[in-house]
Amino acid sequence: MGDLPMDFSDSPEEALFRRRFRTWLEESVPREVPHESDAREAAERQWHRRLAEAGYDWLSLPKEFGGQGLPQSFEAI
């Protein structure tokens, strides 16, 4: 029995998610991160809020627990 090659290609749904997420990141990633500790921590909290508001947080968590209910592969993307 031979080894089967691994297929790491995106499904159509994953490819669409990847394109949408890349576009969102290009528009949303802060250009600078504060150096001062408190300001940096506040910026990180704001970033995670923005991810959640855009639907890019808790991707594979079941919907009944507040997540998106997507396959684990979306977390890797």
Side-chain angles (χ1 to χ4, degrees), residues 1-74:
M1 189 183 220
D3 292 333
L4 296 176
M6 297 291 292
D7 182 4
F8 293 105
S9 302
D10 285 341
S11 69
E13 295 81 12
E14 291 167 338
L16 178 60
F17 176 84
R18 186 184 300 276
R19 283 192 305 276
R20 287 181 176 167
F21 188 49
R22 281 183 176 164
T23 298
W24 183 84
L25 285 171
E26 289 171 2
E27 298 168 356
S28 303
V29 169
R31 299 299 171 227
E32 293 185 28
V33 177
H35 293 284
E36 194 273 319
S37 180
D38 289 340
R40 185 175 55 246
E41 188 176 317
E44 289 172 0
R45 280 193 306 272
Q46 180 182 11
W47 172 247
H48 285 280
R49 258 192 309 276
R50 291 181 75 189
L51 278 170
E53 289 169 357
Y56 295 116
D57 204 3
W58 302 102
L59 297 173
S60 61
L61 191 70
K63 289 182 178 185
E64 59 266 25
F65 298 113
Q68 301 292 325
L70 296 171
Q72 192 69 34
S73 60
F74 285 76

